[in-house]
Every structure is written in structure tokens, then in C-alpha cells.
Amino acid sequence: MAVAVYPGSFDPVTLGHQDIIERSSKIMDRVIVGVLKNNSKSPLFSVQERVNMLKSVTGHLPNIEILAFDGLLVDFVRNCQADVIVRGLRAITDFEYELQMSQTNRVISPGIDTIFLTTNLKYSYLSSSIVKEIAMYQGDISAFVAPEIAVKVLRRAADVKNKRPS
Ligand code: PNS
């Protein structure tokens, strides 16, 4: 049985992430989406909120599980008894960072490989950071995230903006 871990911050989950999850669910027997807890990027959503959002957009996929993780990705992969890490590659700009991560992970844990799925062209420009930036100005994010995610992101962005000193 082939088990993959698809790790990330997912702050918030985008249609690009959903595309990678759907496609890997067809290739692998089981896919565990690992949501990073100790994120130095000071996320807009708590890890539990990010897990819940991922659950709501992947509910129709029976072989997907959403789990939070802390610490090293390779330890999480080992604990899950997974075979590989899945990452999406959007453009050449992703390549250097992804190569560094996958090579480092393989050095510290030689049994663990990373496979890359090239992102659907429709989403090759898309990132959670761009979605958050647009949301901070209450812009239209409906082309980038699922409708239920858009509602949550716009609401949280408005809350954050209201609390900031002007
Ligand atoms: O969605 P992101 O932010 O690009 O995901 C990055 C992630 C979570 C895959 C990466 O930061 C990670 O694996 N963090 C866990 C800590 C770790 O194992 N670091 C060493 C990787 S070289």
C-alpha cells in the first residue's frame, strides 16, 4: 500500500493545494495532509482552523486524512509509516527551495523520497500569501479558494485589519 504525506502550512488551503490533493489521491492508496503547527510565518489561522478547513474541502475523498504536525517533517513521515512526501511545483521559482528541502530530507532520513506534481497551469501563479494579501483589502478571492474558505479568509482578514493600529 503506497502512503504519501503532503505537507504544508495551508494558511489557507487554496484551489492549487486542492488540485494536488485530488491528483495525489488518485495515484496513492492513502494521502496524509500534514499541517505544520510551529509555523514561523505567524499564520492567519490556527493549526486547528487550518485542519478543519482542509477537512471541509476534502470530505469527498475517502483516502485523505488531515493531521497537524510539529517538528521535523521526516519524523512525521516516519510516524505515519508513509513511503513518500508529495509537493507541488508551480514554477521554476519553487524549484530551488523544493530541491533544497527534498535533498536535506533525504540526507537526514535516507529512506524518504519526495515526489513532485507540477501544478495545474490554472493555479501556477497562486499562493496562500497572495490570497491573504488580496483579502486584507477585501478583494475578490473566489477564483483562488473554495467558497467556504473565502468567507472565512475575508472575515479573518477584516478582523486582523480592524485590530491593527492605523
Ligand atoms: O506550505 P509551505 O510553508 O511551503 O510548507 C513548508 C513545509 C511545512 C513543508 C516545511 O517548512 C517543513 O517541512 N517544515 C517542518 C520542519 C522541517 O522538517 N524542516 C526541514 C525541512 S528541510
Side-chain angles (χ1 to χ4, degrees), residues 38-104:
N38 60 345
N39 200 331
S40 55
K41 295 178 186 169
S42 52
L44 191 60
F45 293 97
S46 72
V47 70
Q48 195 51 55
E49 289 171 321
R50 286 179 274 145
V51 165
N52 291 344
M53 287 192 282
L54 275 153
K55 282 185 178 167
S56 87
V57 296
T58 58
H60 60 295
L61 300 167
N63 60 342
I64 301 290
E65 195 178 342
I66 318 292
L67 295 175
F69 79 100
D70 211 352
L72 284 179
L73 173 59
V74 289
D75 291 337
F76 177 65
V77 172
R78 228 180 277 117
N79 291 339
C80 292
Q81 297 184 313
D83 306 288
V84 286
I85 297 165
V86 170
R87 291 283 287 174
L89 267 185
R90 287 168 300 191
I92 197 75
T93 42
D94 278 344
F95 186 75
E96 212 165 316
Y97 171 62
E98 294 298 335
L99 184 69
Q100 183 187 29
M101 267 208 308
S102 65
Q103 299 289 33
T104 308

Side-chain angles (χ1 to χ4, degrees), residues 1-5 28 77 80-85 111-114:
M1 183 157 118
V3 181
V5 165
M28 311 299 292
V77 172
C80 292
Q81 297 184 313
D83 306 288
V84 286
I85 297 165
I112 298 176
D113 262 309
T114 304

Side-chain angles (χ1 to χ4, degrees), residues 122-163:
K122 269 197 297 195
Y123 308 125
S124 58
Y125 58 90
L126 180 53
S127 72
S128 296
S129 311
I130 292 280
V131 170
K132 285 184 278 191
E133 180 157 348
I134 298 168
M136 282 299 168
Y137 300 100
Q138 294 297 302
D140 181 6
I141 53 171
S142 61
F144 313 133
V145 294
E148 69 263 42
I149 306 298
V151 171
K152 288 186 165 60
V153 176
L154 288 167
R155 198 181 298 144
R156 178 61 52 87
D159 289 348
V160 168
K161 211 166 180 190
N162 288 338
K163 277 184 199 136

